[in-house]
Amino acid sequence: MSECIFCDIVQGKIPCAKVYETKNTLAFLDIAPINKGHTLVIPKKHYPTLFDLPSELGKELLEVIQKVGEALRNTVQAEGINLGMNNFKPAGQLVFHAHFHIIPRYENDGLSLWPQKKYNNNDEMLALAQKLANNI
């Protein structure tokens, strides 16, 4: 494994603005926030992406995300919350240590989500749904 900034944060080699911690997770403010309060929730152990996380850790991560997200919403009087996770470089993952973004949102805050596209027709959508279901 190459050097990982989040592993360095967990080990105390790099400081962070910690907001919450459990035995297996750490939540801290993003140094380049979309909005003030933008928080990252990470597993303390190194897992590169969502697909590498053990399912039992997922439950704890979700509990931490809910706890921190609700506290964040109340603390900064956010009108909404976005939860995001980028997996792999083409999806925008910059740090290859699984992490969730909790982003406080406000009306007219300037953040626009991805543009929506369409299927050519309903048959194309249903065929893809069936193909995906067959691969699960």
Side-chain angles (χ1 to χ4, degrees):
M1 175 176 64
S2 62
E3 290 296 311
C4 173
I5 191 169
F6 290 170
C7 287
D8 287 345
I9 289 171
V10 169
Q11 295 168 15
K13 295 177 183 175
I14 297 175
C16 72
K18 183 188 330 180
V19 298
Y20 188 72
E21 182 175 21
T22 68
K23 178 183 172 190
N24 298 309
T25 70
L26 178 64
F28 54 93
L29 296 181
D30 192 307
I31 62 169
I34 290 173
N35 286 318
K36 290 179 181 177
H38 178 167
T39 301
L40 302 178
V41 175
I42 69 169
K44 287 183 176 178
K45 187 173 177 186
H46 186 88
Y47 299 100
T49 71
L50 173 71
F51 307 103
D52 302 301
L53 290 171
S55 58
E56 62 274 6
L57 180 57
K59 181 179 184 298
E60 183 176 351
L61 283 163
L62 180 59
E63 290 169 354
V64 170
I65 289 165
Q66 288 174 321
K67 182 179 282 194
V68 172
E70 185 67 15
L72 174 60
R73 192 174 65 83
N74 293 329
T75 300
V76 299
Q77 291 83 47
E79 298 169 311
I81 294 285
N82 279 124
L83 175 64
M85 182 183 203
N86 304 329
N87 290 278
F88 307 106
K89 188 176 180 179
Q93 187 175 8
L94 300 175
V95 178
F96 290 87
H97 183 122
H99 59 286
F100 296 86
H101 296 260
I102 306 174
I103 304 165
R105 295 299 308 277
Y106 308 90
E107 287 288 332
N108 303 312
D109 64 7
L111 178 62
S112 58
L113 300 179
W114 49 85
Q116 294 180 330
K117 298 182 180 181
K118 295 181 179 183
Y119 290 96
N120 291 326
N121 54 50
N122 197 51
D123 289 341
E124 178 190 25
M125 183 176 70
L126 293 174
L128 181 55
Q130 185 60 57
K131 188 174 181 180
L132 177 57
N134 291 342
N135 281 308
I136 296 176

